[in-house]
Amino acid sequence: RVSRMVFLGGYARGWAKRGDAELIARRRAISTLIAHGWGQDNPAFRQLFTSFMMPGASPEHMEWYNELQRRTASPEGAQRLHDAFGEIDVTADLARVKAPTLVMHARGDASVPFEEGRILATGIPGARFVPLDGNNHILMKSEPAWQRFMAETQAFLAEPG
């Protein structure tokens, strides 16, 4: 059972379901890159994802995230996840969500378009949508969006059920 839901950078439609042929072509090329470069010691292939997830990160944070990716997913696993994320489409199920829901999304999110967060919030009855200023999909504690994310989440979770 779920009593409340908080989404950050969420979406109801994966990249292959958004109807954008150019995006699909780019993502399929990325899938091929994952298969052939993910596990290498050279972080160049993983850096592509880091740049989408945290374009505003410091070099130290980027290095940390590149290594985290390498350690936590095999090339095969990373490729399967990337491809599966593209096939998600739960838009028809959003209206069935009954739990109070908070959806937050960075305006400049390079990984998941801002509009996808809005679609998610619009499809869930009663959901509240909070735009965050920033470009990072993975928020960093040092950015203003982090403070807003924390304040909104804490206030939402403290609301009477």
Side-chain angles (χ1 to χ4, degrees):
R1 297 222 183 263
V2 175
S3 60
R4 293 182 182 274
M5 290 195 303
V6 176
F7 288 95
L8 173 63
Y11 57 92
R13 302 177 308 162
W15 54 264
K17 301 297 183 179
R18 296 178 192 151
D20 182 337
E22 186 177 317
L23 173 64
I24 292 169
R26 262 195 325 267
R27 289 296 193 141
R28 292 194 201 248
I30 289 171
S31 183
T32 300
L33 287 173
I34 292 170
H36 297 287
W38 189 269
Q40 295 179 6
D41 285 336
N42 180 335
F45 292 96
R46 294 179 305 278
Q47 180 62 41
L48 175 68
F49 297 95
T50 300
S51 296
F52 281 129
M53 297 296 215
M54 306 182 324
S58 67
E60 294 80 18
H61 280 113
M62 287 191 174
E63 183 179 326
W64 167 80
Y65 193 67
N66 284 337
E67 182 61 15
L68 177 69
Q69 291 176 96
R70 187 182 70 77
R71 288 178 178 235
T72 57
S74 67
E76 299 80 18
Q79 184 182 32
R80 282 196 319 265
L81 282 171
H82 176 265
D83 295 348
F85 290 158
E87 295 302 322
I88 291 170
D89 188 350
V90 295
T91 52
D93 298 317
L94 295 177
R96 295 178 26 211
V97 174
K98 303 297 182 222
T101 303
L102 174 62
V103 178
M104 292 179 276
H105 210 101
R107 293 181 195 278
D109 189 328
S111 181
V112 176
F114 180 74
E115 187 57 29
E116 291 301 317
R118 191 182 309 278
I119 290 168
L120 180 64
T122 301
I124 298 173
R128 189 160 61 91
F129 183 68
V130 176
L132 300 173
D133 291 327
N135 299 321
N136 292 329
H137 181 73
I138 298 174
L139 296 182
M140 313 237 319
K141 200 172 185 178
S142 60
E143 65 183 301
W146 173 261
Q147 299 303 323
R148 175 94 191 266
F149 167 76
M150 292 302 294
E152 293 286 348
T153 300
Q154 289 168 349
F156 176 72
L157 296 176
E159 290 174 4

